[in-house]
Amino acid sequence: MTGWKVLIASLILTMATSVQAEQPTTGGSMAWQQWPEVGEATLTWGWWTIYQSSLRTPSGDYEPPLPHALVITYARDISEERLMKATNDQWAHLGYSASQRERWQTALNDAWGDITEDDRLAFVRYKDKGVFHYQSQGQDWRTTLVIDDTDLADAFLAIWLSENTEYPDHRRALLGEAS
């Protein structure tokens, strides 16, 4: 009888391990939340604050291609449609073709929905992928999209970090540079 108990316990343990391994992953750890801040910036339009953003890295220094995370806390409600249009407008400003922008917008379809004041969006860039995380006010972070297209990952971050960004002061602040 003892042999049967051991066999059954082994089978249960094996099945539990298999089930756990088959559960979907979050697309990367949430360690980026503990990374030190490189810099932070606030985007305003007139007297309205649109969002506050921060750039984080494992070392506290921005050293691409090492991992880095852009975290945005929204100060206003913004529809998904309006946010996607703003993203497209910034890509156009940076010189990406209409076909690239269209393809990338389709790929980002599940990255975020309508944004409510105090919601947060984070994009973590790893060597071979980018991962979107979303946090509604009072909720836990959840992974919304993992993208393997490194051109798209770089283009998304270029909105804030490119030397050709529409907001150079914002870029300098994120990079921790004096203006």
Side-chain angles (χ1 to χ4, degrees), residues 13-87:
L13 182 60
T14 302
M15 288 174 25
T17 305
S18 307
V19 169
Q20 185 177 18
E22 291 175 8
Q23 291 177 350
T25 64
T26 60
S29 78
M30 295 288 188
W32 59 268
Q33 293 179 63
Q34 307 307 316
W35 293 349
E37 193 173 89
V38 175
E40 64 178 9
T42 302
L43 182 70
T44 57
W45 190 72
W47 56 83
W48 288 295
T49 297
I50 308 300
Y51 61 75
Q52 187 278 327
S53 56
S54 66
L55 182 64
R56 300 176 184 191
T57 67
S59 69
D61 294 315
Y62 180 60
E63 304 173 63
L66 297 178
H68 46 286
L70 178 72
V71 182
I72 302 171
T73 303
Y74 290 90
R76 311 188 65 70
D77 295 354
I78 303 173
S79 70
E80 178 180 17
E81 181 180 310
R82 188 170 185 179
L83 190 53
M84 192 59 79
K85 181 183 180 331
T87 300

Side-chain angles (χ1 to χ4, degrees), residues 17-170:
T17 305
S18 307
V19 169
Q20 185 177 18
E22 291 175 8
Q23 291 177 350
T25 64
T26 60
S29 78
M30 295 288 188
W32 59 268
Q33 293 179 63
Q34 307 307 316
W35 293 349
E37 193 173 89
V38 175
E40 64 178 9
T42 302
L43 182 70
T44 57
W45 190 72
W47 56 83
W48 288 295
T49 297
I50 308 300
Y51 61 75
Q52 187 278 327
S53 56
S54 66
L55 182 64
R56 300 176 184 191
T57 67
S59 69
D61 294 315
Y62 180 60
E63 304 173 63
L66 297 178
H68 46 286
L70 178 72
V71 182
I72 302 171
T73 303
Y74 290 90
R76 311 188 65 70
D77 295 354
I78 303 173
S79 70
E80 178 180 17
E81 181 180 310
R82 188 170 185 179
L83 190 53
M84 192 59 79
K85 181 183 180 331
T87 300
N88 186 50
D89 290 348
Q90 291 305 308
W91 282 336
H93 170 82
L94 291 168
Y96 294 107
S97 72
S99 63
Q100 283 175 308
R101 296 190 323 260
E102 186 176 325
R103 187 177 78 245
W104 291 340
Q105 284 185 295
T106 300
L108 293 181
N109 220 18
D110 296 325
W112 60 77
D114 290 340
I115 302 288
T116 303
E117 182 178 347
D118 294 324
D119 285 358
R120 298 195 304 167
L121 181 66
F123 183 70
V124 185
R125 178 67 165 94
Y126 298 100
K127 180 181 177 184
D128 59 348
K129 65 183 172 187
V131 182
F132 281 95
H133 303 280
Y134 185 78
Q135 182 184 44
S136 294
Q137 185 179 15
Q139 303 293 315
D140 290 334
W141 283 100
R142 61 184 173 85
T143 301
T144 57
L145 184 65
V146 176
I147 56 173
D148 297 319
D149 181 344
T150 56
D151 290 338
L152 169 54
D154 291 340
F156 185 75
L157 286 170
I159 293 169
W160 296 270
L161 301 177
S162 168
E163 291 182 6
N164 298 321
T165 182
E166 188 172 347
Y167 304 103
D169 291 340
H170 196 89

